Every structure is written in C-alpha cells, then in structure tokens.
Amino acid sequence: EIVLTQSPGTLSLSPGDSATLSCKASETINSYYLAWYQHKPGQAPRLLIHSVSSRAAGIPDRVRGSGSGTDFTLTISRLEPEDFAVYYCQQYGTSPYTFGGGTKIEIK
Amino acid sequence: QVHLQESGPGLVKPSETLSLTCTVSGGSINNFYWSWVRQPPGKGLEYVGYVSYKGRTDYSLSLKSRTTISVDASKNQFFLIMTSVTAADTAVYYCARVNSPFDYWGQGILVTVSS
C-alpha cells in the first residue's frame, strides 16, 4: 500500500502567518488523486482540497494545494484563528486508500 | 444536504465483535462508495475500508482479515463488522461518503474495547 509521510509533525505559528505542510508518498499517486482534510477535536474531518489542487466548496483561495508525483504541499496563507487544527493528506487513487500521519498547526 | 450518522455499542469486550451502522439521509446510497475511517485516541486518521452500493469492497491491509463492510441499499445503510477486537481497536469510528475524496462525514462514534 502507498505510505504517506507528512511533515512537520507540528507547526507553531501566529495568526497572519503562512503555513506550508508537506506530504510525501512512497510511490507515485495515481491520476492526481490526492486530498487534504482539516480535523478539529470533536468534529468530523472536513475536505479542503481534492485532485491535488482543487478547492472543495466554500474553501477560501488562501488555501492552496500543489505538487505532483510523490511530493505534495498544502499552503495556507494569512492564518486565521479557525485554521489552527490538524491536517491530513490522503491518496484515493490506489486501493487501499491511505492517510498521512497528520500535521498539527498550533498557536505560537 | 447529505447527512451520515453512526450508531452502535460504545463498549465492546476484548475478543468479541464490533458492529456499527451508518445511516445515510438527504441522499441515496446508490451510485456512491461508502467508507469507514477510525481515529484511535491521540493518533491520526486510519482508513478501514469501503463498500460500493453494489457491494464491492476494499479493506486496509492491516485490518482485512477481521473486517467486513456491507450495505443495505433498501435501508440507505451500510455496516462495519470487526471481529476479535482488542484494546488497540478503541477509537472514534467515522463513516464517510466516497465521491473520489471523502466529501461527507458522520460526527463519529467512540467505541471502547474493555472488559
């Protein structure tokens, strides 16, 4: 199965900063089937990005996904209080689907 | 708006079978795949598997031997059965709709494995 490795484990940032999250796959992701989710305690995960760079409905354009092959990045500009959460990448192009281990964005 | 709701026992004894139901409302279960994802305490999200509305399945390699996911389209429900559970199966279990990515999720149900 495809292993996704996310880094860093934790980002300590202030509101207004930019966050850059990395997701590296153990093999090429099939057909750009790479998504990013935001997860807050006690809530359901929320889809942010699909197909590497397409924003889900209602996601602002300061949230951007990029990458190809095995290296992918989620960038969040001008962090707002609601952005402090855990973020997961997921590949859904090859069964079994897999998630990365997550990156937590915490308030510095 | 599609809504998913998990239901089932919150406490299961070690070596016994975990059984959960996900009820889908606000849309048909047909024409989509449906998945279970879990999150052990203090850990990340873990893909469990999926079932299509026609019953095709896929499972995480580490859970495949003791996991069954099935669907009842007439009731707009799908199910998770996991046998021979241990404390390591303690987690919040989420159900989700697979629309290439997972676009709708339930709120999750905590299942604790303990005697």
Side-chain angles (χ1 to χ4, degrees):
Chain A
E1 68 181 32
I2 296 177
V3 177
L4 299 178
T5 302
Q6 291 188 240
S7 61
T10 302
L11 274 172
S12 297
L13 297 168
S14 300
D17 288 347
S18 291
T20 301
L21 288 65
S22 172
C23 175
K24 294 186 185 297
S26 59
E27 56 189 88
T28 297
I29 300 295
N30 186 26
S31 301
Y32 294 90
Y33 287 153
L34 190 286
W36 291 90
Y37 299 85
Q38 177 191 65
H39 194 202
K40 297 180 179 180
Q43 297 185 17
R46 178 190 186 192
L47 176 66
L48 299 177
I49 298 285
H50 64 90
S51 307
V52 177
S53 60
S54 297
R55 279 181 291 274
I59 303 303
D61 59 9
R62 59 188 184 82
V63 178
R64 179 173 173 267
S66 61
S68 64
T70 60
D71 290 350
F72 302 89
T73 300
L74 178 71
T75 303
I76 307 174
S77 304
R78 303 182 303 281
L79 284 169
E80 298 189 2
E82 60 265 28
D83 297 327
F84 292 88
V86 180
Y87 293 81
Y88 295 93
C89 59
Q90 179 208 29
Q91 68 81 21
Y92 53 96
T94 301
S95 292
Y97 300 165
T98 47
F99 289 92
T103 291
K104 181 180 182 180
I105 302 179
E106 64 176 22
I107 299 177
K108 188 174 182 180
Chain B
Q1 178 80 345
V2 175
H3 181 75
L4 290 81
Q5 181 67 58
E6 303 90 347
S7 59
L11 180 65
V12 182
K13 291 183 167 57
S15 79
E16 295 192 346
T17 296
L18 179 160
S19 297
L20 295 177
T21 298
C22 183
T23 301
V24 179
S25 58
S28 173
I29 208 164
N30 290 325
N31 301 317
F32 290 99
Y33 287 24
W34 302 89
S35 181
W36 290 96
V37 176
R38 71 181 186 177
Q39 183 179 34
K43 297 188 177 181
L45 299 177
E46 179 184 16
Y47 170 75
V48 175
Y50 71 60
V51 63
S52 77
Y53 68 104
K54 289 187 175 181
R56 177 188 171 189
T57 56
D58 175 68
Y59 300 106
S60 160
L61 295 182
S62 63
L63 299 173
K64 187 173 186 175
S65 63
R66 55 190 186 92
T67 301
T68 302
I69 301 175
S70 59
V71 63
D72 186 337
S74 68
K75 294 183 177 179
N76 246 29
Q77 294 177 325
F78 64 105
F79 312 96
L80 171 66
I81 294 177
M82 188 176 294
T83 60
S84 305
V85 297
T86 70
D89 296 308
T90 293
V92 175
Y93 286 76
Y94 296 96
C95 57
R97 187 177 82 168
V98 183
N99 188 14
S100 268
F102 293 10
D103 59 352
Y104 287 99
W105 296 67
Q107 284 299 306
I109 183 170
L110 173 62
V111 179
T112 301
V113 179
S114 175
S115 54

